Amino acid sequence: TQLLEQSPQFLSIQEGENLTVYCNSSSVFSSLQWYRQEPGEGPVLLVTVVTGGEVKKLKRLTFQFGDARKDSSLHITAAQPGDTGLYLCAGVSPLQGAQKLVFGQGTRLTINP
Amino acid sequence: DTEVTQTPKHLVMGMTNKKSLKCEQHMGHRAMYWYKQKAKKPPELMFVYSYEKLSINESVPSRFSPECPNSSLLNLHLHALQPEDSALYLCASSRAAYNEQFFGPGTRLTVL
């Protein structure tokens, strides 16, 4: 069974601080995705990382994929209250014509003004 | 149109009822998915349809019955559910194996 361990599960910090969320697995995935989910809505994809060692930036968010493609991190610089939400990492395994996502437990992030 | 729509948004049903959840997308995606999400937990995959054929059933109890009538529609038929089946049911679609999954807003189901 492929499992993703995400940490921390809860994080509450002040506006302007930096933070890092980690996603670790004992399995290798073909790619790894990060989602953000608002209450009462479905997850929305932020980024997909595919290549070991890859780094992607999305404004103040920086995503890294480990060299062995088993772990990933999300770093937010100068967090804003609008960053508040549930962040989910998901390992991707391709199937025939589809894909299987295995989600981490999620990090519930609160940015206080 | 980059939207996955789900109806109803909320559903309350008794344990003896039969109801159906509906999911629709018009993005030409050939893979569609059902997930179950309990409160404060991540989504858990239930079913995967690829080219309108069921390709994965994650050992879901038979009281949940999926159906894919055509490439744009995905249904989840519910019968004799238990209170512990109360959850947010999410539908998603993707173009193929290596593409982004688009999620719908979900149906919040309460079983009394």
Side-chain angles (χ1 to χ4, degrees):
Chain A
T1 303
Q2 294 178 310
L3 292 173
L4 277 172
E5 291 187 8
Q6 199 172 331
S7 62
Q9 288 192 39
F10 300 93
L11 185 58
S12 179
I13 62 172
Q14 294 299 119
E15 181 178 359
E17 293 183 2
N18 301 333
L19 67 107
T20 302
V21 177
Y22 299 94
C23 182
N24 296 297
S25 172
S26 57
S27 305
V28 175
F29 291 98
S30 65
S31 62
L32 199 139
Q33 298 177 334
W34 285 91
Y35 289 83
R36 179 176 158 180
Q37 186 176 18
E38 303 288 350
E41 297 180 12
V44 175
L45 182 69
L46 296 174
V47 78
T48 300
V49 285
V50 179
T51 307
E54 184 175 5
V55 177
K56 282 192 173 178
K57 291 195 173 185
L58 188 66
K59 297 183 182 178
R60 292 176 293 99
L61 278 60
T62 302
F63 303 86
Q64 280 193 295
F65 202 13
D67 290 341
R69 288 162 55 219
K70 290 183 180 180
D71 55 272
S72 181
S73 64
L74 157 61
H75 183 78
I76 301 180
T77 304
Q80 305 292 311
D83 296 328
T84 293
L86 177 66
Y87 290 81
L88 295 157
C89 65
V92 183
S93 299
L95 306 168
Q96 201 165 2
Q99 59 182 221
K100 181 173 178 177
L101 294 185
V102 176
F103 284 91
Q105 290 300 304
T107 295
R108 195 161 296 278
L109 177 63
T110 303
I111 309 300
N112 304 300
Chain B
D1 183 1
T2 58
E3 207 178 34
V4 175
T5 59
Q6 288 188 245
T7 54
K9 195 167 177 60
H10 300 276
L11 178 62
V12 179
M13 60 186 290
M15 289 189 284
T16 58
N17 292 158
K18 281 186 181 181
K19 297 286 184 184
S20 296
L21 308 185
K22 181 178 169 182
C23 173
E24 197 164 359
Q25 57 88 13
H26 296 287
M27 295 179 277
H29 291 174
R30 303 312 298 267
M32 296 187 77
Y33 312 79
W34 280 116
Y35 291 84
K36 174 182 177 179
Q37 187 174 24
K38 300 282 279 184
K40 302 192 189 308
K41 296 288 186 184
E44 291 180 11
L45 183 65
M46 299 174 72
F47 302 104
V48 179
Y49 272 84
S50 177
Y51 292 89
E52 295 143 59
K53 291 195 180 342
L54 183 66
S55 60
I56 289 186
N57 174 344
E58 290 285 279
S59 303
V60 179
S62 60
R63 58 185 183 270
F64 295 91
S65 175
E67 180 198 17
C68 190
N70 60 57
S71 60
S72 300
L73 276 176
L74 185 66
N75 298 321
L76 186 63
H77 302 299
L78 314 172
H79 174 54
L81 295 194
Q82 304 296 310
E84 59 264 30
D85 296 321
S86 298
L88 181 68
Y89 287 85
L90 293 162
C91 173
S93 70
S94 67
R95 184 168 298 282
Y98 294 97
N99 300 96
E100 171 186 359
Q101 282 191 32
F102 289 82
F103 283 82
T107 293
R108 187 157 299 281
L109 174 68
T110 303
V111 182
L112 301 176

